[in-house]
Amino acid sequence: MSAFVLVHLLVALALPIVARRNTGMAFAIAALPPAAALTWVLARSGAVLSGDAIVEEVPWSPLLGLEFTFRLDALAVLMTLLVSGIGVLVLVYSIGYFHAGSGDARRSAPLLLTFAGTMFGLILADDLLTVYVFWELTTVCSFLLVGQAGISRESRRSALQALMITTMGGLVMLLGFVVLGEAAGTYRISEIVAEPPGGTPLAVAASLILVGALTKSAQVPFHNWLPTAMVAPTPISAYLHAASMVKAGVFLVARLGPVFVGVPEWWLPTVVFGLITMVFGGWRALHETDLKKLLAYGTVSQLGFLMVLVGQGTYAAALAGAAMLLAHGMFKATLFLVVGIVDHQTGTRDVRELSGLGRRMPALATIAALAVASMAGLPPMLGFLGKEAAFGAFLEEGGGTGLLIDFVLLLGSVFTVAYSARMLWGAFARKPGVAPTGGKQPGAVLLVPAAIPAFAGVVLGIGYPLTDELAGSYAAVYGAGVDPLHLELWHGFELPLLFSVVAVAAGLWVHAMRVPLTALRRRLPKPLDAQRGYERIMALLERTAVGVTGRTQVGSLPTYLAIILLTVVAVPGSVLVYHAHVPADMALHHNLLQIPLAILVIIAAIAVVRAKRRLTAVLLVGVIGYGIGGLFIVDGGPDVALAQFLVETLTMVAFVFVLRRLPARFTKGDAARSLRWPKLALSVAGGVVIALGAVLFSAARQQPPAVSADFIAQSEEGAGATNIVNAILVDFRAFDTVGEISVLAVAATGVASLVLASRFDRRRRSSRGAQATAPAERPGVVLSGNGNGRRQEEEQS
Amino acid sequence: MDVVFVVTFALLCLAALLALIRMIMGSSTLDRIVALDVIVTLIVAGTCVSMGWLRDGSNIALLTTFALLAFIGSTSAARLVEKKEPYR
Amino acid sequence: MTVLVALPVLLPLAAAGMSLALGRFADFQRIIGLVVLAAIIADAGFLLYLTDRTGPVVLQIGGWAAPAGITLIADRLSALLLVVSAVVTFAVLIYSIGQRLTDYGRERASTTFHPMYLVLCAGVSLAYLAGDLFNLFVAFEIMLSSSYVLITRRTTASRVRAGMTYVIVSLTSSLLFITMIALVYAATATVNLADLGGKVAMLPEGLQVALGLMMVIVFGVKAAMVPLHFWLPDSYPTAPAPVTAVFAGLLTKVGIYALIRTQTLVFSHDRSWTLMLVIALVTMLVGALGALAQNDLNRMLSFLLVSHIGYMLFGLGVYDVIGLTGVILYVVHHITVQATLFLVSGLITRHTGTVALSRMGGLAKAAPMIAVLFALPALSLAGVPPFSGFVAKLALLQAGIGAGTWSAYAVTAGTILTSLLTLYAMARVWTRAFWGQVRAPEADPDPDDELVVGTGNSTRPMVAATGVLVTASVVIALVAGPLAGVSERAADDLMQGTTYREAVLGGAR
Amino acid sequence: MTTPARRALRRLPLVLWLTAVWILLWGTLDLGTLVFGLLVALLVTLVFPLPPVTTHMVVRPLSLLRLVCYLAVDLVVSTVRVSWQAVRYGPRTRAGIVRVTLLTDSDHLTAMVANAVSLAPGKFVMQIDRAHRICYVYALGMRAGGEELVRREVLALERRIVRAVGSAAELELVGRIEDSAGTAGKEDA
Amino acid sequence: MTDPRITAPRNGERPGVPWTGWDAPRERWLLSGFPRDGRERAVLLELAARIVFPTVLVLSIYLLFAGHDRAGGGFSGGLVAGQAFALRYLAGGRMDDSAIISLRPPVLIGLGLTIATLTGFLPLVFGQELLESAIFKISVPLLGQIKFVSSILLDIGVYLLIIGVVLDLLRTLGSGVEADAAAAERGQA
Amino acid sequence: MSVLDVISACCLVLGALSCLLGAVGLLTFPDVTARLQAATKPQTLGLILVLIGTALQLDFHYSLALALVALFQMLTAPVLAQLVGRAAYRADSIRRENLVVDEMGERIEREHDRP
Amino acid sequence: MTANLTVNLTMAVVLAALYSAGFYLLMQRSLMRILIGTVIVGHGANLLLQLAGGPPGRAPILGDAAPEQMTDPLPQAMALTAIVITFALTTFLLALAYRSWVLLGHDEVRDDVEDRRIRRLERRLAESEDDKANEDELEREATQ
Ligand code: NA
Ligand code: NA
C-alpha cells in the first residue's frame, strides 16, 4: 500500500516535466496511479470485506511512535471508491476541462495527483500520526489548488482561509492524537480500538480530535471556508471539496468512532454540530444563485448529515453513514462535474442567466437528474438507501432523542430536496424572460466522467445487497447485534418511508415557494455570519500582532539594554538580595593601598559619566584603567597589571586616533532628561547587585582552589615556567590563548574593513564621477520593509 | 621604615588626587593630557615604592614598560590633538 | 584519535590564518575554505559515529587532565550539532562563493569574508566542544567577534545601525558572561563544567538559583529568549543572506546549546521547570505575533526565529528525557531550516530587489525553483508533516503532554498556536510573494554594499547550495528514526550527567 | 665613504646600547645573556635599520659627568623655585617666551639643548626653528626684562653640552664665540 | 578656521614655511623620513623616537622570553613592540617601510595565527597530545645550560600576531583616518 | 635604620613631596604651559628620587635597571612638554596677559603683517 | 592562598561604581559613550575576575614567593585573556563608531526605522477601531 502512495507522489514529482509539454497527457498519466490503486483495492475487496484486513507497516521513528501503518479494511475500501474512483474520473475530466497548456492545468495535474496519493494514504492509515501526516498534506494541496496562481485577491484569501481553518483544526487534532496516543501507549488505531484508554485523557482527546474533524468537514461554525473555496477550478471543487477531502473529517469520526463509543464528548458534538450544519447548509443552499455555491452549501449540509450518522456510534447509524458517504461522493461529484461542464460550455453558472439548457444538452441533464435524484433521496437511488437507513437508525434507537434527531434530519432532508430541485431547475429549466443559453455541446471526455458516478448511484441503489455488504462490513466494528438493520429499497410501510415521502413533498413545496422564502431570508436577522467571524478573528490577530510588536519592539537600543539590565537586577538580583547575608568577617580592605586606588577609580568613574567632552571621557577611562592596573599590582598580579597598562595605553591611542575626527563634545540632548534618573537608578541597582554577588559568591567558597595548586605544583616541571600565569597562558590553558588571539586577529580585520571602507567609497565615487556627471553624494538608503529606496531623512539630518 | 613607605604612598596618593581634580576640571584637553601624564608617572613611582617596600625587584621590566607607556599615551594624545584644537 | 575533537576548531582557525596571510589569492581562499569545511563534516560525522558507539571522545589539551587543563569533549549532543552546523556552514559557503563569483568575478579576493567566516565556524565548533566555562566564553567571543565583522562588512548607512545594535547587545552579554565566570570561580575555584556540577551543588541554595538564572540570562541573550530578544529582529535582517543564514541558523542555537549544557550539567531542576516554561510560552507568542506584524521578509523570518526558540526552551522546561530529545531534534531541524529560509530570502531579494512582501509578486511563475526551495523549508518550519519540523514538534508535544503539569499543558497549547501562526506567516509570504502578478525586479537601492539585489538572477551555486540545505532538511525527516534514537540517547546522557562527568574527570587525579 | 664595514661600525654604539639594555633588563651579567643580548640587538638593528646621519657625537666622559651633575643640581634648584612660585603666586604667576639663537647647528645638539633646558622646571622649549637655530624658550616666573638672563642660561647650557658630546668643530666654534663674548664663559665656570 | 599666519607670506627669514613647520629637523632620523600625511615634523620627537624605538623593541623581546619566568610573555612583548611602532607612527614614520622585511599587517596577523594554531599539532608528530609542550635543556659550552620550552613557539605566534594587530590599527585607525581627514579637507568627504 | 635606609627614606619622602608639590602646581597655575612646568618637572625629579630611594632598598643589579627607568623619564618628559606646549600655543590655551614677553608671537605677527 | 575569600568592602564599592558607571553609559545614545561604558564594565569584570582568586598576595612566580603566599594564578590568566579580548572588541566598536560617523555624520544609535514604522501603524490602528481598516492600513503602510 505504501508503494501505491509512493507511486502517486513520485509520478506527481515527475509530472511537471510532462505538463510543461502537454497538459492533457499529464492528466492522463496522472489518472493512472489512482486507477491502479482502485483496481488493486477492488481486487482485494472480497477478502477485506469478509474481515481479513491487509496490514502494512513502514517504520519511521519508532521512538516517537512514528510509523506509516496502512490497513485496508471495509471503510478503507469504501473510501477508495471515492478517493481513487472519483479521482480517476476527475483527472480524466480535467483533460477536457482545463485549457491545454494553461498555467492552471500545469499546476493542477501534479497537485491533483499528489492529493490523490495523500488522500489514499489517509484512508488507509491505521495510525493516528500517519493520519495526521496525510491529513495536513491534503490541506496543503488544497491550499495550492484553491489558490492556483493567486492572481485575484479573492483566490488568495479563500486559499488562505481554507488553510488556516483546516490547519487550526488539524493542529488541535494532533494534540488530541498525542493525548490519545500517550494515554493508550500506542498510536496504532486498531490497537487503540481493541483496547481504548479511559478517563479524562479519552474525553480530552475526543474533544480535541473532533475540532479537527469538524473543521475539515466544514461543520458550522467552521464551514465557511468551503463555499469560499469554490473559487477553485471546478474539477478541484468536485474532487477535494465534495467527494474526498471534506470527507476526511467524517472519515476520521467513522474511523475513531469505536474508540469513543459512549464518550459524550465525542458523540454529542458530532450530533449537535452535525444537525445544525445539515439544516443551516440546506437553508443557505436554497438561496444561492451560483450553482457552485449552491452545491457547496449542499455539501456543507450533507457533511453535517454524515457527521450525525458516523458520530452516533451504533451499527445502524454507521451503516447508514457508510451508505450516505458513498452516495454523497457519487452524486456530489457528478453534480460538480456537471456544473463544471455547464460553466465550461456556456461561460456562466448563475441560475438567473441559465435557461433551456435541459433541452439543448439532454444527456447532461439526464446525468444531472440521476445525481439529483440520489441527492434528494428518491428510490431506487443510493441516496434513498442511505436516507431510509438513517431515519431507521435513529428510530431503532428509540426514545425522545432518536425521534428528535430524526425530526431535525427530516427538516434537513426537506431542504435537501428543495435545493436539489433548485439545482436541477436552475441549471436546466427554461425560465421565462431569460434568453436560452447557448454554448457548445460537451465532449465525451467531460460527459463520461460525470456520468459514471451518476450511474453508479443507480447501480448501487438497485444492487443494494452489494452496498449493504460494503457498508455493513464497516458498521460491523460496532457489533451487528441480533437483528441488524439492512440497506434495502423496500422496508415496508414504515416511518422512514413516511419521512422520505414527507421530505420530498415538503421539499418540492419549499422549492416552489423560493421567491417568498428568499424575501423572508432577507428580512431575517443574521445571527451567524461565519465569514464575518473569521474576518474579525483574523483582523484581531493582525491588530494584536501589530499592537504587541509595536509596543515591545521599540527599536531603541538603550531600551533593549535597559531591559537586559532590568532582567539581571530583577531575576538573579532579587534572589541574591533575598538570600543576602553579608559575611561577618568582611574586611574594609586587604591592603592599605587599595583604598587610595579605589578612590581614584571611583572618582574617575563618576567623572566619566559626567564628562561632556569625548577626549575627557577617554582620558578618564585611561585613569580608571591605570588605577585598576595599580590594583592588580597591589593584588599580586604583575602580568595582568602589565597587560592592563599596555592595553589601556593602546586603547587610549586608538581612541585618540578616532577622536581626531569626531566632534569634541558629546552630542547634546543625549538622553531624555526624564529618563536620566531611572537610568541612573537602574545602573546603580545593577552595579550593586554585581558587587553584592561578588561578596556573596566569594564568601561562599568552601574549598581551596585545587586546580591552581596543581598549576603551581606542576608549572616548573611540566611547563618549564616559573611564572605560573604565563605557564597557564601558553601551556595549561593554551587553547584559550589560541582563541583569544583569533579574536584579536578578527578585531583587527574588522577594524580594517570598517575604516578602510571610506577609502573604497572615495575610490568608487571618483570612478563613478569620472563616468558620469551623477551627483557625488549617495544618500543612505534603507533596504527594508518599506525600503523603496527612500532616503532616511532622520538619519541624515 | 614602614612609616616612610606609608608617608611616601600617602603623598603620592594625594598628588594623584590633585592631578585627578585637574583632569576633571580641565579646562582644556591639554590640561587633561598633562594630568594623565602626571597620574601615570605617579603610578610608576608608586609601583617603584612598593617594590622597595616588598624588597622585590624582580619586576623591574614592568617599571620600564610603564615609564615608556606614560610617554606614548600622552604623546599620542598631545600630538593628535594638535590639529584638532583651533588655531588661534 | 582524540585529536579529531580539536580539528573542527583548529583547522578553520589555521585556514583563517592562511586565508588572511594569502589574502590576495582568491582561489586559494575559496578552496581552503571549502576543503576545511568539508573536512569538518567528515570529522564531525565520524565523531558522531564514535560517540554514539563508544561514548564521549575527550581531548585533554596539552595532556593536562581536567579540571586543570582545558578539555574538549564531543558527546552525542555536541557531535550531532557539529555535524549539522558543519553541513550548514559548508552549504552557506558555497552559496556565498557563488554569489561573489557572480557579482564580483573570479579575480576579486576578500581579505575579510573568508577568514572571518572560517573563524566563525571555529567559534561555533568550539562552543559545542568546550568542556570548560571560560573556554566556552572564549568560543563565544571567537564566534561573536567574527560575526560582528561579518555583519558590519561593507556597511551602508542603514546597516551600520543594525550592526551597532547587534554588536553592543552581544558585547553586553559577553561582559555579563565574564562577570558570571568570575562569580562562579569565586565560589567554586573551578571553571571546568564537569567539575562545576559537583561544586555548585555544594553552594547555598540561593546562590545556586541566582547563578543558574544569571546563566540563563547570559545565554538567553544569545539565544534571543524573550524579553532578551529585541536586538535580533533589528539586526539580523539587514545582513547579506549568507551571513544572516549562518547567524540565524547557528548563533542562536549555540546559545540554546550552552543553556542546555549548563542547565543539565551544572544545575539541577525539578521535572517541569516552570520559569522556563513560562519564558518558552512568551517567547513563542511574542515571536509569532512579531512575525505577523512584519512586511519585511527577513524581519518576519527573524521574528519566527525568536518564536521557535520558544520551542527549544519548551523542551528544556519540561526537563525530562523526551523533552530534551525534542529540543535536540528541534535544534537540528531548526538550524537547517532557518538557514535555508534566509538563503531563499536572499534568492528572492535577488529576484525582486526588495524584501518588502507587499512589493513582490508572481515569483512562483517567475522563479518556480525558488518557490520549491521556499515551500519545503517553510512547511517544515510550520511543522507540517512529514517534514523535519513535524518530527521535532511531535516529540515536544509528547513531552508536554507527558509532563503532566498545567504549565506544560499551557505551553503545549502555545506550541500548537505558534505552529498555526507560523504557517499563517509562511502562507502570507507565499500569497504575497509567490502568487499574484509577476513584477519586474526593483533596482538595487544601494549598489555599493555587499547586498546585491534586484539582479533578477541567481546563479547555480547559490541555488544548489540552497538545494543542499533543503535536501538536508528532507534527509533529517527521512532519518528521523535513527536521529531520534541518537537524540534520545543524547538527552539521556544529559539527564544522567554521569557519562559526561566520568569522561571528563575520569582520568583526573 | 660608506663601506659596509664603516656602516657596521656606525651601528656599533646602538648595538652596544641595546645589548646593555638587554643585560640591564635581565639583571644578570653572564656570557649567555651577553651573547643573546648581542644577537637580539643585531636582530633589531638589522630588521629595523635606522637611516645614517651625517653628524657625529664625541662623548667626553668627564664633561658628560659634569653636565649630569649640573643638570641634577639645576633640577633640584629649579624644582624648589617653581614650587615656591606655585605656592606663593599660584594663578598670578607670570611667564615669557624668549627667542634664543643657538650657536651650533645640528639636529641632535639642538635636541639635546632643548631637552636639557626642558628638564628642569621653570623653562622649556616651546618651539624650535631648526632652520635658524632658534629655540623659543618658555620661562616661568619671568619678570619684565628677564629675556637676556634666559638667553644666557640657555647658551651656557649649550656650551656644556657641546663640551660633553659635541664634535671637535663644534667645540671649537663654541670656544671661539665664548672668547669673543668675553665674560660669558666666566659666569658659569 | 585657517590662520593666515600658517601660510604666512615670505618673510625673508624662511620663505613659505608656516610657523608650525619650523620644528622640522634637517636630517632623516627615522627610516621613512617624514610623515606623508601632512603632520608636522618635530625634531625632538624624532630624535627621541630614534633612541626609544630600538630600545623598546629590545624590551619587547626581553618580555617575550622572560615571560616564562617573570612578568611578561608573548602578549606583553607584542604589545610593547606595538607601542614602539605607535611611537614611530606618532613621530611621523610611515608604517609600511619601517622594516627591511615588508609585510602587510594582515599577512603578519595571518602568519601569527597560523603559527599559533599549527604549532599545536607539532607534538602529535612526537606521539604526544595536542598542544603538549616539551622542555629541552641543552648544555652549550661557555653559555651554560639553555632551556628551551616548546610552548615558546605559541608565544612567538602570539607576539607576531599582536605586532600585526597593532600595525594594522596604525594603518587603519592611524593612517586610514588621517587620509579620510585629508580627503575631508579637500572636500571629498 | 642604617645610613642607607635614612638616605633612602629621605629620597623617598622628598621624591613624593616633589610629586605632590608638582601636583599642587598643576592645580594652581593659571594656564596649560605653566601647569605643564609645574607638573612634569617636579614629577621627573620626584620619580628620580623615588627611584634612588628604592634602589637603595634593593640589590645593586636592580639599580642599574632603575637607572634605565630614570633615563627614559629624562629623555621623554621634555619631549612631551614641548609637544604639549606647542599645541597649547596653537590652541590659544596660553593666557597672553600673563606673558611679559612673547618673542615668538612677535615674529609670527611680523611675518603675517608684512605685505 | 588564604582562606578568607570575601571580597572586601573597598573592592565591592569599586565594583559597584564601575559597573554602575558602565551600565549607565551603556544606556546612552552616543555610540562613543556606549563604547566607553563597555570599556568600564570590562574593567569592572576584569577586576572582579582578579578578585575572584582571593585577597592580595605575592605574585604567582616561583622563586619569588612561597606557594602559600601566592595569589591564585588562574583568575589572573583568565583576566589577562579577558583584557585582551575586551581590547579587541573595543577597537572594533571604535571603528564602528567611526564608520557610523563617516556614513551618518553622527555617532548616535537611533531607533530602528522598521520598528518605528510598526509603532506608527500600531498607533494608527489603535485610533481607528474599524476592523476593515486593518488590512488596508497594513497594505498602505507597506506600500507607501
Ligand atoms: Na505581493
Ligand atoms: Na546593494
Side-chain angles (χ1 to χ4, degrees), chain C residues 153-176:
Chain C
R153 208 168 75 85
R154 297 189 55 204
T155 42
T156 55
S158 62
R159 279 173 52 205
V160 74
R161 198 219 147 272
M164 280 183 219
T165 305
Y166 175 70
V167 174
I168 293 164
V169 171
S170 302
L171 209 53
T172 309
S173 85
S174 296
L175 290 170
L176 290 176

Side-chain angles (χ1 to χ4, degrees), chain B residues 25-84:
Chain B
M25 280 168 47
S27 56
S28 76
T29 307
L30 290 164
D31 286 306
R32 298 193 168 98
I33 292 169
V34 172
L36 181 75
D37 186 59
V38 169
I39 291 176
V40 179
T41 312
L42 287 171
I43 288 179
V44 174
T47 312
C48 186
V49 174
S50 75
M51 276 168 54
W53 198 354
L54 295 173
R55 295 182 184 275
D56 173 12
S58 57
N59 286 326
I60 219 122
L62 215 105
L63 214 58
T64 322
T65 316
F66 288 0
L68 166 84
L69 296 182
F71 172 57
I72 289 177
S74 317
T75 305
S76 67
R79 183 105 166 111
L80 299 172
V81 156
E82 271 183 355
K83 280 196 126 177
K84 184 138 180 89

Side-chain angles (χ1 to χ4, degrees), chain E residues 69-109:
Chain E
D69 300 321
R70 310 174 183 185
F75 277 127
S76 310
L79 283 173
V80 166
Q83 315 267 10
F85 288 102
L87 178 63
R88 262 188 92 115
Y89 172 77
L90 290 170
R94 255 178 25 158
M95 296 327 298
D96 46 0
D97 54 9
S98 55
I100 47 166
I101 312 163
S102 172
L103 285 182
R104 290 171 63 250
V107 176
L108 201 56
I109 296 173

Side-chain angles (χ1 to χ4, degrees), chain C residues 117-391:
Chain C
Y117 190 78
L118 288 167
V119 173
L120 183 82
C121 296
V124 170
S125 303
L126 182 56
Y128 293 144
L129 296 169
D132 179 289
L133 196 58
F134 192 76
N135 202 231
L136 184 64
F137 167 73
V138 172
F140 266 63
E141 291 315 303
I142 295 175
M143 181 180 91
L144 290 177
S145 58
S146 47
S147 74
Y148 300 157
V149 180
L150 287 174
I151 205 172
T152 56
R153 208 168 75 85
R154 297 189 55 204
T155 42
T156 55
S158 62
R159 279 173 52 205
V160 74
R161 198 219 147 272
M164 280 183 219
T165 305
Y166 175 70
V167 174
I168 293 164
V169 171
S170 302
L171 209 53
T172 309
S173 85
S174 296
L175 290 170
L176 290 176
F177 197 171
I178 316 183
T179 307
M180 185 195 70
I181 290 176
L183 296 180
V184 167
Y185 190 85
T188 62
T190 183
V191 281
N192 184 290
L193 285 173
D195 197 21
L196 270 177
K199 300 263 169 71
V200 166
M202 286 190 281
L203 293 180
E205 208 197 325
L207 293 190
Q208 281 189 46
V209 173
L211 195 60
L213 291 173
M214 187 88 179
M215 280 202 195
V216 169
I217 291 176
V218 166
F219 300 132
V221 172
K222 215 55 316 302
M225 118 196 330
V226 174
L228 310 169
H229 71 288
F230 296 109
W231 57 274
L232 191 148
D234 282 3
S235 55
Y236 278 8
T238 55
V243 172
T244 315
V246 174
F247 283 21
L250 295 182
L251 300 200
T252 45
K253 303 318 174 298
V254 173
I256 291 286
Y257 167 82
L259 204 57
I260 296 175
R261 181 63 85 200
T262 51
Q263 296 298 328
T264 54
L265 190 61
V266 180
F267 302 95
S268 56
H269 298 276
D270 299 333
R271 280 198 52 167
S272 190
W273 178 12
T274 311
L275 175 71
M276 191 47 71
L277 287 175
V278 172
I279 295 175
L281 182 63
V282 177
T283 304
M284 282 178 197
L285 295 182
V286 167
L289 289 176
L292 292 187
Q294 307 302 320
N295 181 41
D296 173 331
L297 174 58
N298 282 341
R299 289 181 70 95
M300 171 183 282
L301 291 175
S302 302
F303 271 104
L304 285 179
L305 168 60
V306 171
S307 174
H308 287 244
I309 290 299
Y311 278 38
M312 299 163 215
L313 301 178
F314 171 34
L316 181 60
V318 171
Y319 212 80
D320 61 6
V321 172
I322 182 70
L324 288 177
T325 309
V327 183
I328 295 169
L329 283 173
Y330 210 91
V331 170
V332 167
H333 139 76
H334 199 250
I335 287 177
T336 321
V337 164
Q338 193 75 48
T340 317
L341 281 172
F342 274 109
L343 288 188
V344 177
S345 162
L347 295 179
I348 291 176
T349 38
R350 278 183 82 84
H351 273 266
T352 58
T354 177
V355 283
L357 290 172
S358 54
R359 299 211 308 275
M360 301 177 183
L363 273 175
K365 189 180 167 82
M369 195 61 207
I370 296 183
V372 174
L373 290 179
F374 173 79
L376 294 181
L379 290 173
S380 187
L381 189 72
V384 171
F387 302 104
S388 52
F390 165 67
V391 180

Side-chain angles (χ1 to χ4, degrees), chain C residues 68 134 137-138 141 144-145 148-149 152 154-158 160-165 167-168 171-172 174-176 178-183 185-187 189-191 230 233-235 290 292-296 299 303 356 358-359 424 428 432, chain G residues 5 19 23 26 31 34 37-39 41-42 45-46 48-49 51-53 72 74-75 77-79 81-82 85-86 89-90 92-93 96-97 99-100 103-104 106-115 117-118 121 135 138-139 141-144:
Chain C
F134 192 76
F137 167 73
V138 172
E141 291 315 303
L144 290 177
S145 58
Y148 300 157
V149 180
T152 56
R154 297 189 55 204
T155 42
T156 55
S158 62
V160 74
R161 198 219 147 272
M164 280 183 219
T165 305
V167 174
I168 293 164
L171 209 53
T172 309
S174 296
L175 290 170
L176 290 176
I178 316 183
T179 307
M180 185 195 70
I181 290 176
L183 296 180
Y185 190 85
T190 183
V191 281
F230 296 109
D234 282 3
S235 55
L292 292 187
Q294 307 302 320
N295 181 41
D296 173 331
R299 289 181 70 95
F303 271 104
S358 54
R359 299 211 308 275
Y424 182 46
R428 231 165 50 169
R432 289 187 186 178
Chain G
L5 246 166
Y19 273 95
F23 286 151
L26 269 178
L31 192 52
I34 294 174
T38 60
V39 173
V41 175
N46 296 334
L48 179 54
L49 211 44
L51 293 174
D72 191 345
L74 180 54
M78 294 196 291
T81 307
I85 288 178
T86 320
L89 300 179
T90 306
F92 178 78
L93 204 52
L96 187 60
R99 181 70 180 148
S100 145
L103 284 174
L104 309 173
H106 62 76
D107 72 330
E108 282 188 32
V109 189
R110 304 267 164 94
D111 286 0
D112 191 86
V113 183
E114 189 68 9
D115 288 335
R117 188 183 73 78
I118 290 174
L121 179 61
E135 180 88 351
L138 282 170
E139 301 242 327
E141 254 308 321
T143 45
Q144 76 178 176

